[in-house]
């Protein structure tokens, strides 16, 4: 158990819909990362937040957005869903004391999103 | 363009042998490199981190090497066991960006 929690575990929805994935980092970790993992793309970095602020951005679609709240939990919002958005979505957390420093990341169990 | 390459073919070995997995990269200058293990349907689990000024790092039956000239890391599991069967991912930092970029992973199958 990494100490990172994600809800829900599974999500089935239809194209065009909007969903919210939730992540709680390990106690004491200030940084949260979101990844998308599909069979053909591998683990793709989406976005990082540090202590409530966006710190780094990957290939995140405009239809996707995220935020980190004062209690450090994070939410990833996916809207106008398409079939191709079906994937495992992982959240990870780390201490990330220094700006630009990427340290060990602890991953949650993931949310499996299926878009029908 | 920047690339991280791991052998996409599964590696099948006999229990007790040493497994060696390769991670090659191009157009990166990482300050360090990490290896993770991922079991099907689960999140990656951190195994080892090696810095650019370290040639080798060990942890129990695991050994990682990092050659910044060759732009390559090797990951070894000695005395492999069926429980070591999993996908192993290498990951590089993109310096000063906070991003960790993962390879596609190599699946290791250890047969009893």
């Amino acid at each position: 158990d990494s100490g990172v929690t994600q809800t829900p575990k599974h999500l089935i929805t239809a194209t065009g819909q909007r969903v919210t994935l939730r992540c709680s980092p390990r106690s004491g970790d200030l940084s949260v990362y979101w990844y998308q993992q599909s069979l053909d793309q591998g683990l793709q970095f989406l976005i990082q937040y540090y202590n409530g602020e966006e710190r780094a951005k990957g290939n995140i679609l405009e239809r996707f957005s995220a935020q980190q709240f004062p209690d450090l939990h994070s939410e990833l919002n996916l809207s106008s869903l398409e079939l191709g958005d079906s994937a495992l979505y992982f959240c990870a957390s780390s201490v990330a004391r220094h700006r630009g420093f990427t340290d060990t990341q602890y991953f949650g169990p993931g949310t499996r999103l299926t878009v029908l | 363009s920047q690339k991280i390459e791991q052998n996409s073919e599964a590696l099948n070995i006999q229990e007790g042998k040493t497994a060696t997995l390769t991670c090659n990269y191009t157009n990166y200058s990482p300050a360090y490199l990490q290896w993770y293990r991922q079991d099907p349907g689960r999140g990656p689990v951190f195994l080892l981190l090696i810095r650019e000024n370290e040639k080798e790092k060990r942890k129990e039956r695991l050994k990682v090497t990092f050659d910044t000239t060759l732009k390559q890391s090797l990951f070894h599991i000695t005395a492999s066991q069926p429980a070591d069967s999993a996908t192993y991912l290498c990951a590089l930092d993109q310096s000063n960006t906070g991003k960790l970029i993962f390879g596609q992973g190599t699946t290791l199958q250890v047969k009893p």
Side-chain angles (χ1 to χ4, degrees):
Chain A
D1 183 4
S2 66
V4 178
T5 59
Q6 287 188 249
T7 55
K9 285 191 84 162
H10 302 277
L11 201 46
I12 301 173
T13 188
T15 54
Q17 295 298 304
R18 173 190 164 94
V19 297
T20 298
L21 313 184
R22 185 189 165 103
C23 167
S24 291
R26 288 188 326 155
S27 175
D29 284 357
L30 298 179
S31 216
V32 168
Y33 310 79
W34 286 98
Y35 293 88
Q36 179 192 58
Q37 188 174 41
S38 53
L39 278 171
D40 55 344
Q41 288 288 324
L43 200 60
Q44 299 288 311
F45 170 77
L46 295 178
I47 198 163
Q48 178 201 1
Y49 278 82
Y50 176 79
N51 205 18
E53 290 186 12
E54 182 184 304
R55 177 170 270 190
K57 219 165 182 175
N59 297 325
I60 187 166
L61 299 171
E62 283 191 19
R63 301 183 285 108
F64 296 1
S65 65
Q67 54 183 326
Q68 187 179 28
F69 295 87
D71 67 352
L72 301 177
H73 91 270
S74 178
E75 291 180 358
L76 178 68
N77 300 297
L78 315 176
S79 61
S80 302
L81 285 167
E82 302 174 0
L83 295 177
D85 298 327
S86 297
L88 266 170
Y89 290 84
F90 288 106
C91 165
S93 74
S94 74
V95 175
R97 289 188 191 88
H98 308 291
R99 186 167 191 83
F101 177 73
T102 309
D103 54 355
T104 300
Q105 296 184 17
Y106 296 87
F107 283 77
T111 293
R112 183 174 293 280
L113 174 67
T114 303
V115 182
L116 301 174
Chain B
S1 64
Q2 294 174 318
K3 254 198 243 181
I4 303 173
E5 287 181 339
Q6 294 184 255
N7 195 341
S8 57
E9 284 181 25
L11 179 63
N12 295 299
I13 65 166
Q14 207 64 36
E15 183 176 7
K17 301 289 187 189
T18 296
T20 299
L21 286 69
T22 305
C23 176
N24 295 300
Y25 60 92
T26 53
N27 296 324
Y28 281 108
S29 296
Y32 53 87
L33 185 146
Q34 302 184 30
W35 283 88
Y36 288 76
R37 168 186 171 137
Q38 187 174 24
D39 292 283
R42 309 191 73 162
V45 174
F46 171 76
L47 296 174
L48 278 168
L49 178 153
I50 185 165
R51 301 183 192 284
E52 61 179 336
N53 60 351
E54 296 174 317
K55 289 278 194 280
E56 184 179 296
K57 201 84 171 273
R58 289 175 187 259
K59 180 182 171 184
E60 295 170 358
R61 294 183 296 111
L62 309 180
K63 184 177 90 170
V64 171
T65 62
F66 192 12
D67 189 326
T68 54
T69 304
L70 288 179
K71 294 188 182 295
Q72 181 182 77
S73 174
L74 298 178
F75 177 79
H76 306 272
I77 306 176
T78 57
S80 59
Q81 304 165 0
D84 295 326
S85 299
T87 296
Y88 292 86
L89 306 164
C90 72
L92 307 178
D93 71 307
Q94 272 193 289
S95 299
N96 300 317
T97 65
K99 291 184 195 178
L100 201 58
I101 308 300
F102 284 82
Q104 291 276 87
T106 298
T107 299
L108 171 67
Q109 191 73 32
V110 181
K111 297 192 190 303

